[in-house]
Each structure stands twice: as structure tokens, then as C-alpha cells.
Amino acid sequence: MSERVTLTHVARAAGVSLSTASLAFSGAGPISAATRQKVLDAAAGLGYSGPNPVAQSLRRGRSGIIGVVVGGDLRARFRDPVALGTLDGLATTLAAEGMGVLLLPSEPAGARLLTHSAMDAAVLLSVSAGDAARTLRRRGIAMVRVDSTARGVSSVLVEDEAGMAALAEHLRTLGHQRVAVLTLGWSNRRRQGPIDLATAPRAKVPYTAARMAGILGAGIEPMAVEETTGSLVEEGIRAGHAVLAATPRPTAVVAMSDLLAAGVVLAARERGLRVPQDVSVAGFDGASLPWLAGHELTSVCQPIEEKGRRAAQAAIRLAAGEKVRSVTLGCTLRVGTTTGPAPRTS
């Protein structure tokens, strides 16, 4: 078997020292462009692709890996355009900096990986990643949270309350008074069914609480509130039928995600209702749903990819030992074809 080519062979072929050859590959250091090119040409001639990345990581004392803790059912998460867009912004930004991504399920499935996997910093995409956060804190790994907060941890948030308030005001100007709301998780345990705002404690999930505060703050008192188990079209269909069966029927349904809102549109069709003539439907996210033929959802558009990019940038700085401040990104209202004036009779 032929001898494996190493950096020592490249240095010898280029007629330079081993340290000079190493600097040529690192892209830094006091060597001329001509010398660097001579080393790279020698490497190409020997079929040498570069220093072993594992060995490089050991020498630096860093892995070059950012852990990303993903909560809930991974199959469902990868059907969610918000989760996919956030991951795309995150992974693209990290790749541009030569860093890798390690996807980690939240507790309990990812407990061993969280305890033993090499990573320089972590991004928590799960709002219920309490055990994961404690494990990472014990290991001394810096974290950045997305869509949630914790004392002493940097966060990337969006203006959930202001965005939903703008949507609620839009419905008020259209004359809607009977409004039903489909919420995402109210607490950390997954459940579905009606919520009585008069007796229920405040939502524990941050973005659910903020979006509900936006609706109430804009002067809308929901006639019905239905909790869902997550951002799923099938949950929107189920919850949509639940609220549309009420007498009198709501003239508008606000869903806390676009997938839930799309499910409400489908439920309305199944009940023989026209959108928006008989019932208006609106969501939150600004996701692209081309399969919702004939409609563009009225939605609060959050900067999905930007959220991932900001989380990646924060993680890179944390990995370098820097301090990072939390950031809150703005939202915009997109008026589509699924909202219109409240019907005079329903």
C-alpha cells in the first residue's frame, strides 16, 4: 500500500519548511502569495487535499461544530416551513464560516448526544429545551435561544405581539367582531381543545403569550379559543371545524401559524363556506404555500431566514468567547386574499 501523503511531503516537494506549508493552508501568516501558490501547486501534484480537519480542531481546542437543539417530533418539524427556513438561514451562515451543524433532538432522545457530542456553542430552537439547556450549561457550552428567553442567555426573537396586533387591527377595520383564535401550545405539554381565557392561566409558551396579547391589546375579545398540538395542517382542519361549528359562527378565524390557517381554509371548504366571503382566515409566519390553490393567506410575515442567520452569527461569536446581546426582529402584515369585510349575516 502506498504511503499516505502528509503535509510533510508537500513541504518537501515545495522546498519550504513544514510551518510555512501549514501557513499556506491556513490562509494566514507572513508568507508571500508566490510561496503560498507554490505550496498549493505541490499539494495538487501529490493529491493532497489539506490538513486533517479533526487534527486541526484538536490543535485549536475547538470542534468547528455548532449544536442545534430541535424540539418536538422531528418529522413534523421538517414539514414546517418556518423550521426549515430558520434551519436554512442558520446552516448557510455557518457553512460560509467553515462551521458544521449537529442536529440534536431535545430531551429525552438527545440526552446522550447533548452530554458527549463535541460542539463550540449551541442554538436552541426548542422552547421546551429545559433539560437540554441545563446539560449544556453544566458542560460550559454557550447558548443562543430562538423564540424563547432565559436569564443569562442570548435570544433571537421576533415582534410577535406587535405583528399580531397589526393583524387584529386589520380585522377590526373590516368590521369583524366575532373572531375565533387557534393557538399554538399554551404550555409545555401537548394538548388540544378549547381554552377559556377567563379561567386559564397566561400561556407559558412565549410566542403564544405574545401573540394572544397582541390580539387582546388591539381590542378583540375572541369568541372562541382552540389550542392545537402544533403547527400542522391537519390540526388546523380539526380546530377549524371545532370553531366553525359554533352558533353564531365566527366571521373571522386567526391562527397562530400559516399551516394552521391553511387547515382552517380547507375546513371551511369542507363545510361549504367561502373564504373570505363567509369567513375570513389569517395566519402568522408569511410562509409560501403555493399548494393553497387560489389563495394567498393574509399573514403576519416574520423574517424566518434572517432569524436563522442571526442565531448562527450569535453562536459563532459565542464560540469565540464573545458576549452577544439579544435581538428582536420586526414583522410586517401581508394582506392576501383570505380576509375581507365581515359578512352582514352568517
Side-chain angles (χ1 to χ4, degrees), residues 200-284:
R202 188 175 187 270
K204 292 184 179 179
V205 177
Y207 48 74
T208 300
R211 293 174 194 182
M212 182 59 74
I215 293 170
L216 298 174
I220 288 182
E221 293 289 338
M223 62 173 288
V225 178
E226 184 80 9
E227 182 181 3
T228 68
T229 60
S231 181
L232 300 165
V233 174
E234 52 265 39
E235 271 293 274
I237 294 173
R238 178 202 64 78
H241 279 296
V243 298
L244 292 173
T247 304
R249 189 176 65 236
T251 64
V253 179
V254 175
M256 290 193 182
S257 85
D258 283 349
L259 290 186
L260 288 175
V264 176
V265 172
L266 298 178
R269 289 177 181 172
E270 291 174 0
R271 303 181 77 86
L273 299 174
R274 300 168 300 164
V275 176
Q277 293 88 343
D278 298 321
V279 59
S280 289
V281 180
F284 194 111

Side-chain angles (χ1 to χ4, degrees), residues 8-303:
T8 300
H9 296 101
V10 173
R12 188 180 302 128
V16 300
S17 67
L18 181 60
S19 60
T20 297
S22 178
L23 288 173
F25 276 96
S26 72
I31 64 172
S32 68
T35 300
R36 179 177 290 111
Q37 190 59 50
K38 184 167 64 172
V39 173
L40 296 178
D41 289 343
L46 293 171
Y48 179 76
S49 59
N52 185 306
V54 174
Q56 284 187 309
S57 296
L58 290 173
R59 286 193 295 270
R60 291 196 308 264
R62 293 170 58 185
S63 66
I65 298 293
I66 299 297
V68 179
V69 181
V70 182
D73 185 339
L74 288 180
R75 291 169 298 180
R77 295 285 286 182
F78 281 98
R79 292 167 52 196
D80 184 350
V82 176
L84 287 175
T86 303
L87 282 171
D88 181 60
L90 197 155
T92 301
T93 303
L94 291 175
E97 296 296 324
M99 303 192 77
V101 175
L102 176 63
L103 284 181
L104 299 162
S106 60
E107 67 281 345
R112 182 172 176 81
L113 287 171
L114 284 163
T115 301
H116 299 290
S117 297
M119 65 188 88
D120 299 328
V123 177
L124 273 58
L125 297 184
S126 170
V127 298
S128 58
D131 288 346
R134 283 187 285 274
T135 298
L136 294 170
R137 192 175 294 113
R138 283 196 299 270
R139 293 184 59 189
I141 294 176
M143 294 167 278
V144 56
R145 285 180 171 265
V146 176
D147 291 328
S148 64
T149 61
R151 183 176 297 177
V153 179
S154 301
S155 296
V156 178
L157 308 169
V158 299
E159 292 182 343
D160 295 284
E161 183 173 348
M164 193 60 93
L167 174 56
E169 183 60 32
H170 165 68
L171 293 175
R172 286 190 64 210
T173 61
L174 291 172
H176 292 280
Q177 296 180 340
R178 298 200 306 274
V179 178
V181 178
L182 272 55
T183 81
L184 293 167
W186 199 260
S187 66
N188 290 334
R189 63 186 183 90
R190 294 165 62 86
R191 66 172 297 277
Q192 56 183 210
I195 291 177
D196 183 353
L197 292 182
T199 59
R202 188 175 187 270
K204 292 184 179 179
V205 177
Y207 48 74
T208 300
R211 293 174 194 182
M212 182 59 74
I215 293 170
L216 298 174
I220 288 182
E221 293 289 338
M223 62 173 288
V225 178
E226 184 80 9
E227 182 181 3
T228 68
T229 60
S231 181
L232 300 165
V233 174
E234 52 265 39
E235 271 293 274
I237 294 173
R238 178 202 64 78
H241 279 296
V243 298
L244 292 173
T247 304
R249 189 176 65 236
T251 64
V253 179
V254 175
M256 290 193 182
S257 85
D258 283 349
L259 290 186
L260 288 175
V264 176
V265 172
L266 298 178
R269 289 177 181 172
E270 291 174 0
R271 303 181 77 86
L273 299 174
R274 300 168 300 164
V275 176
Q277 293 88 343
D278 298 321
V279 59
S280 289
V281 180
F284 194 111
D285 290 331
S288 175
L289 303 176
W291 50 267
L292 197 62
H295 278 302
E296 180 182 43
L297 279 173
T298 292
S299 179
V300 178
C301 300
Q302 59 166 311

